[in-house]
Amino acid sequence: MANDVAIIGIGLHPFGRHDALSGRAQGAIALRAALKDAGIGWDAVGVAYGGSHDAGNADALCNDLGLTGLPFINVANGCATGGSAMASAVAAIRSGMTEFAVAVGFDKHPRGAFNPHPRDWGLPDWYGETGLMLTTQFFALKTRRYMHEHGISEESLVRVAQRAFRNGALNPDAWRRREMSYAEIAESMPVNLPLRQYMFCNPAEGGAALVLCPAEIAKRYHPKPIIVKAAVVRTRHHGSFEVFSPALAAQQAPAPTVAASRAAFEQAGVGPRDIDVLQLQDTDSGSEVIHMAENGFCEHGEQERLLRDGDTEIDGRLPINTDGGCLANGEPIGASGLRQVIEICTQLRQQAGARQVPGNPRLGYTHVYGAPGVSGVTILQR
């Protein structure tokens, strides 16, 4: 594409718990790192898109980086906030609006599960009174239904988590850096069955940032720019069963992930078999299993074999969540989608160290999913 966009700077503040730092401070650290990686100053940035759910307005970063007068747009799209910020930055550059754009996110969530208020999402009180606003319950119900329909056993849920913690142990920036045995995960405390304690990610803290520019000038600023072949966001259709859906439709529609994935592959001119390394939203083990098929990387029901045979390991044919994903890193909503992109950039740059995917990967894929049914997909090329 003549107006391709490149990522020339990446910056990450490790996810986890950082009592001495505000969420915004973690975002500022990540943004400064991304600017340094790109070799430009904050005053060169023409537009910024950023998001935070619990740590204040993202545009307050201007107080830390400098009041240059640039347009800074706050983004709020659930767990898809980071992907939405990046897609907006890509669109701004493609439109000719600016030469340099930033996508940034940070957060600092309180401990415990997300438990939002029904009325904030257009839902009646009864939805919360039944416990479904506590998202662990929704994801457990959705996973149970999916397992029943497609012949998936609890073994797959355990294997997803086991691989996540194994990869996280290789990632110096991960929060959870201890490998866990199959038995530890399979016998951990039930939360909402079939999902157990170590099958869920934790709300967390952290910051992540990207600097982007037109691909034609990218090598002036970084020796290994990463080309954005697609950056797509899609929302739900009537009949899809998503977070905060109050009922199942008589005729079910495909999830927004399906629409986003298909649009991204079409935009990039590639298919699932061309992807060398990928990131999938793993709010919990069940969600990753579902997303493997919804993104087109296997048929529904094939996940169990792929997981058992090691296809999704770092040295497998379909390496998933090589940095440990949300399960090992936690999920600060504003930053999580950008962490995915940073991991793919690190892999494509051949800078991932002990978790590096072999074979000189060329194409990477990221997928985020957020309430109340929003999905963002990017396809990146070395």
Side-chain angles (χ1 to χ4, degrees):
M1 197 183 280
N3 59 345
D4 269 346
V5 174
I7 298 169
I8 56 170
I10 58 176
L12 182 75
H13 184 279
F15 292 5
R17 289 292 174 192
H18 309 283
D19 292 339
L21 287 173
S22 68
R24 193 180 94 196
Q26 294 172 61
I29 290 168
L31 181 48
R32 290 191 180 102
L35 292 167
K36 182 178 180 180
D37 190 36
I40 67 168
W42 175 242
D43 57 353
V45 177
V47 65
Y49 298 87
S52 170
H53 186 271
D54 283 329
N57 288 335
D59 67 353
L61 285 169
C62 294
N63 296 334
D64 303 308
L65 274 294
L67 300 175
T68 63
L70 91 167
F72 194 120
I73 292 86
N74 289 305
V75 179
N77 229 359
C79 300
T81 292
S84 301
M86 178 180 165
S88 299
V90 169
I93 293 173
R94 284 179 175 167
S95 74
M97 174 183 178
T98 183
E99 196 164 64
F100 298 104
V102 155
V104 61
F106 58 87
D107 247 310
K108 192 179 182 79
H109 301 301
R111 288 168 170 80
F114 296 119
N115 189 19
H117 299 289
R119 292 189 181 275
D120 292 344
W121 298 85
L123 292 166
D125 289 340
W126 69 259
Y127 191 82
E129 290 164 0
T130 61
L132 285 171
M133 288 303 290
L134 190 64
T135 51
T136 59
Q137 296 214 58
F138 170 85
F139 285 119
L141 287 170
K142 186 171 184 177
T143 295
R144 176 70 80 189
R145 177 186 174 90
Y146 188 88
M147 291 167 67
H148 171 75
E149 290 180 340
H150 300 290
I152 302 292
S153 74
E154 292 186 22
E155 173 191 337
S156 291
L157 305 181
V158 177
R159 290 190 183 280
V160 165
Q162 190 179 15
R163 188 235 303 129
F165 295 122
R166 183 163 52 246
N167 291 352
L170 301 175
N171 177 9
D173 290 325
W175 183 14
R176 311 297 190 193
R177 298 199 60 211
R178 182 176 74 86
E179 286 193 52
M180 302 190 73
S181 70
Y182 186 100
E184 279 183 286
I185 297 166
E187 297 168 10
S188 62
M189 181 182 68
V191 178
N192 294 109
L193 291 173
L195 299 173
R196 296 176 176 271
Q197 179 181 2
Y198 298 129
M199 297 175 183
F200 282 104
C201 78
N202 293 78
E205 308 173 17
L210 308 173
V211 178
L212 304 96
C213 76
E216 61 191 20
I217 65 169
K219 286 201 171 179
R220 300 179 198 170
Y221 300 95
H222 199 283
K224 295 181 177 181
I226 303 300
I227 308 302
V228 181
K229 301 304 293 182
V232 172
V233 177
R234 292 290 185 271
T235 58
R236 62 213 172 279
H237 287 89
H238 175 70
S240 63
F241 185 51
E242 310 303 330
V243 183
F244 307 151
S245 293
L248 278 168
Q251 185 171 351
Q252 204 162 346
T257 290
V258 175
S261 180
R262 288 174 178 171
F265 282 126
E266 181 178 354
Q267 189 177 113
V270 300
R273 291 187 176 276
D274 298 310
I275 301 300
D276 299 308
V277 58
L278 59 151
Q279 289 271 323
L280 300 179
Q281 179 81 22
D282 59 332
T283 308
D284 57 89
S285 292
S287 291
E288 184 184 305
V289 169
I290 294 169
H291 292 149
M292 288 171 65
E294 288 186 344
N295 283 278
F297 292 103
C298 65
E299 296 298 323
H300 294 286
E302 285 188 338
Q303 298 96 320
E304 189 129 326
R305 176 183 58 79
L306 295 174
L307 290 161
R308 185 185 297 127
D309 291 351
D311 287 38
T312 67
E313 301 290 339
I314 288 173
D315 60 353
R317 71 170 184 84
L318 194 67
I320 296 177
N321 294 344
T322 48
D323 63 348
C326 290
L327 290 175
N329 287 278
E331 185 173 27
I333 282 179
S336 192
L338 299 177
R339 171 195 55 79
Q340 291 186 333
V341 173
I342 289 169
E343 173 63 10
I344 295 300
C345 288
T346 303
Q347 290 285 346
L348 299 184
R349 288 178 176 185
Q350 295 275 306
Q351 295 172 343
R355 67 185 191 279
Q356 179 65 52
V357 169
N360 200 19
R362 188 182 73 90
L363 276 174
Y365 183 99
T366 75
H367 158 262
V368 292
Y369 171 84
V374 183
S375 183
V377 170
T378 70
I379 296 177
L380 308 174
Q381 178 180 295
R382 173 173 50 81

